[in-house]
Amino acid sequence: ERHEIIFTGSGTESNNLALIGAARSARAKGNHIIISSVEHKSVLEAAKSLTREGFEITLLPVDCHGMVNPDMLVSKLREETILVSVIYANNELGTIAPIPELSARIANACASRNRPLFHTDACQALSYLSIDVQTLGVDLMTFNSAKLCGPAGVAALYKRRDVRLTPLLYGGEQEQLLRPGTEALPLI
């Protein structure tokens, strides 16, 4: 639905809005975030910035192929875990994460408590893999036009309808108050 897409200026901005916006919005539920160690720098640095606000980051190691171990991910979940982010297709290694499996494992592990939000950076996956958010089981997903041979300077963040984000920018009503400023309509 149209209310589930927020246009931004880059994949970096979308990743920052997903991580920082979700963490700040869910702070009352907990302060723990899990990310893989092979995330794009925009995810790694956004997570690092959150540590200065009192959030605790667990950096999940990967195997020699760059894959997250689903059992290890589940073992790192805690009551105060509010967000998990695993890159869908790694831009340096070419690894494709089993996002539907990871999502299902998180949901099963958290059946008796609040499930953390699940974000994936799908910028590199967009041209080659399914991005059906229902099948993937994600709450937040980052896209970038330039990775589809589209124009640079426009990207998007999928946000499931009931997910709450705190904006990073203020001053306009565009993009559901989550990304104020005049949209780059020719790029979109």
Side-chain angles (χ1 to χ4, degrees):
E1 294 184 31
R2 70 179 184 92
H3 293 293
E4 294 179 317
I5 299 296
I6 301 152
F7 288 104
T8 67
S10 66
T12 294
E13 183 183 348
S14 291
N15 280 337
N16 275 250
L17 180 57
L19 264 70
I20 297 169
R24 289 177 178 167
S25 185
R27 178 169 222 132
K29 296 178 184 177
N31 72 335
H32 182 237
I33 299 166
I34 300 171
I35 64 172
S36 80
S37 60
V38 293
E39 293 299 308
H40 185 271
K41 191 171 183 175
S42 60
V43 171
L44 293 168
E45 292 298 320
K48 182 178 175 182
S49 79
L50 287 167
T51 63
R52 294 187 288 275
E53 297 180 31
F55 289 93
E56 185 181 343
I57 308 300
T58 296
L59 202 59
L60 270 179
V62 294
D63 66 17
C64 64
H65 304 290
M67 295 294 285
V68 167
N69 180 315
D71 292 328
M72 183 178 289
L73 171 57
V74 168
S75 76
K76 300 296 183 185
L77 291 169
R78 302 189 291 209
E79 194 68 36
E80 60 273 9
T81 306
I82 55 172
L83 178 64
V84 175
S85 184
V86 177
I87 193 167
Y88 192 2
N90 187 282
N91 55 310
E92 294 180 11
L93 303 172
T95 303
I96 299 170
I99 298 299
E101 178 188 356
L102 297 176
S103 175
R105 296 287 299 273
I106 292 168
N108 289 339
C110 299
S112 63
R113 59 185 158 99
N114 286 336
R115 181 183 65 80
L117 295 175
F118 188 35
H119 167 258
T120 190
D121 176 347
C123 289
Q124 298 293 337
L126 200 51
S127 294
Y128 309 103
L129 302 169
S130 168
I131 57 164
D132 182 314
V133 294
Q134 300 300 324
T135 302
L136 294 173
V138 296
D139 303 295
L140 298 156
M141 186 185 305
T142 297
F143 305 104
N144 186 341
S145 169
K147 305 302 180 187
L148 286 170
C149 298
V154 67
L157 176 65
Y158 160 78
K159 176 190 77 67
R160 197 182 71 234
R161 170 173 274 193
D162 61 335
V163 170
R164 300 289 171 246
L165 299 177
T166 299
L168 304 182
L169 304 170
Y170 297 90
E173 296 183 9
Q174 297 87 346
E175 298 307 309
Q176 307 161 55
L177 299 172
L178 292 172
R179 205 287 183 158
T182 304
E183 293 99 339
L185 291 178
L187 300 179
I188 291 170

